[in-house]
Each structure stands twice: as structure tokens, then as C-alpha cells.
Amino acid sequence: MGGIDWAIGRGARPMVVIDEAAKQRDEPTPHGKIGMSTAWRITDGVPGRMMEYRKRSLHPGSAIGVHPIEHDEVYAVVSGEGEVVSDGATARLRPGMTAYLYTGAQVGIRQTGTAPLVLIISYPLEKVPQK
């Protein structure tokens, strides 16, 4: 099953392959602009997507400021070290660790150490598109 089948109401949409290099940009961190980061908004522009999937590198000394979330979020550490906060509770993160954050929490994450903190961040979109 593929694109033709989906177009006539059978099967799944065709896959989308994304070149991360085309999605990369340097920008201040979200939620407070606490330092600089490199952002890869990987799924931006994917037609009919139902989730957000991003990569972000927090440069040394930077942080995503504490902010409320209206959906569950996942922060998976690719490299570097950091600290994540959720409703005042703080946990250290290193490569191979993932923080699962729940709807309604006040969350943030900051880079620690000397290397950038590289994360994969994923969450559902609020208004899920339909076929």
C-alpha cells in the first residue's frame, strides 16, 4: 500500500523522507531566550502530520525556560548533559536517558557541562489532521 492507495481511500499515506540539513538553523532558545541553540524542525511541512519531531542542540550555558505544556512531551538525550525540571522536581540527564513529561506540568531543561546538549523532542499536535 502506498500513495496511490491512500489517494483512493485505501492504506496509508506515502512516506516522507526529510534531509535534516535543510531544516537546521541557529536561534535563541525557546521560552525565555536563555542562550543560543541549533534547531532542526524536522517535521515542519510534512503534510497531514499528527506529531512534532525535532532535534535541538542547546549550546553551552543555554536553557529552554520553564513553561507550561498542554500535551505530553518526550526529551531524549543524544549527547551532552543537562538537567530537566518538571513542577519543581529536577533530574540530571545524560546520553541514553529520556524524560517523559506530562500534560499540565511546568517544564524546562538546561545544558550543563562543556559539550552542547543534543535532544530529540517529540509531542503530539493539538489539532490532529484527518484524512
Side-chain angles (χ1 to χ4, degrees):
M1 299 257 172
I4 302 253
D5 291 318
W6 177 80
I8 62 171
R10 297 185 314 200
R13 291 181 171 104
M15 75 172 153
V16 176
V17 177
I18 301 153
D19 179 0
E20 286 186 16
K23 301 289 187 163
Q24 180 180 343
R25 67 179 186 227
D26 287 330
E27 63 185 24
T29 60
H31 307 290
K33 298 182 179 171
I34 307 165
M36 289 297 292
S37 67
T38 302
W40 293 263
R41 297 177 187 273
I42 296 169
T43 54
D44 281 7
V46 171
R49 75 187 196 273
M50 298 171 66
M51 60 180 280
E52 200 66 73
Y53 184 86
R54 298 179 173 186
K55 182 164 70 170
R56 186 170 296 266
S57 175
L58 299 178
H59 299 186
S62 66
I64 296 174
V66 174
H67 61 284
I69 55 174
E70 297 177 0
H71 42 65
D72 290 6
E73 292 190 3
V74 176
Y75 295 174
V77 178
V78 176
S79 62
E81 295 182 355
E83 290 182 343
V84 63
V85 63
S86 180
D87 287 340
T90 301
R92 299 194 75 176
L93 295 175
R94 62 183 184 279
M97 296 177 85
T98 299
Y100 192 99
L101 306 165
Y102 290 97
T103 302
Q106 295 276 334
V107 305
I109 189 165
R110 71 181 184 97
Q111 180 276 346
T112 60
T114 58
L117 173 60
V118 180
L119 305 165
I120 297 296
I121 301 169
S122 187
Y123 52 89
L125 293 175
E126 288 189 34
K127 294 185 180 177
V128 177
Q130 301 296 315
K131 265 191 188 180

